C-alpha cells in the first residue's frame, strides 16, 4: 500500500473587475496549491454533495455543483517509485463569466497537471 505523495489543488475564479490596461480573463485567476487539508475538505464535501455529471475530458469526469455555480473534478495517479498524486479541480463561474467554457478551462488545467506529473517522472 502506498501513500499519496503529491497533492495538487486547482481553483479558477472569474474576474470581477475591469482593467483597461490588461486583458481580464480566467487565465489570470488560476490558483494552485498543494494543501492536503484543502484536498481532504473537497473530497469530503463532494462525497456528500456530488452534484451532476456535466462532461468528461481526458479521462476526468467533471461534475456541476447543485448548490453553487461551480464545476469540480478529482483524480489520483500512480507515480513511479510507488508514489501517488491526488489532484482536485474547482471552477467557480458566475454571471461575470458568460463567455468562459468549463471544458476549455478544465483542458487547460489538466494540461498543466500532466506537465507537473511528467516532471516528477523525470526526476
Amino acid at each position: 500500500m502506498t501513500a499519496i505523495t503529491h497533492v495538487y489543488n486547482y481553483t479558477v475564479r472569474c474576474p470581477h473587475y475591469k482593467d483597461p490596461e490588461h486583458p481580464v480573463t480566467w487565465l489570470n485567476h488560476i490558483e494552485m496549491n498543494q494543501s492536503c487539508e484543502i484536498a481532504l475538505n473537497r473530497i469530503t464535501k463532494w462525497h456528500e454533495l456530488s452534484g451532476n455529471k456535466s462532461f468528461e475530458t481526458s479521462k476526468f469526469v467533471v461534475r456541476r455543483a447543485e448548490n453553487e455555480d461551480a464545476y469540480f473534478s478529482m483524480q489520483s495517479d500512480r507515480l513511479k517509485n510507488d508514489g501517488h498524486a491526488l489532484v482536485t479541480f474547482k471552477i467557480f463561474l458566475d454571471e461575470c463569466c458568460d463567455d468562459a467554457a468549463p471544458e476549455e478551462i478544465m483542458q487547460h488545467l489538466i494540461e498543466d497537471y500532466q506537465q507537473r506529473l511528467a516532471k516528477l517522472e523525470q526526476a
Side-chain angles (χ1 to χ4, degrees), residues 32-45:
M32 199 286 293
N33 68 60
Q34 295 180 300
S35 166
C36 292
E37 183 179 4
I38 288 173
L40 290 172
N41 285 342
R42 286 181 173 184
I43 290 169
T44 302
K45 178 181 178 182

Side-chain angles (χ1 to χ4, degrees), residues 6 25-26 30-31 39 45 49 55 63 108-109 112 123:
H6 295 80
T25 173
W26 59 264
I30 299 172
E31 304 165 20
K45 178 181 178 182
L49 303 170
F55 60 93
R63 304 184 73 76
H108 178 83
L109 299 177
D112 182 82

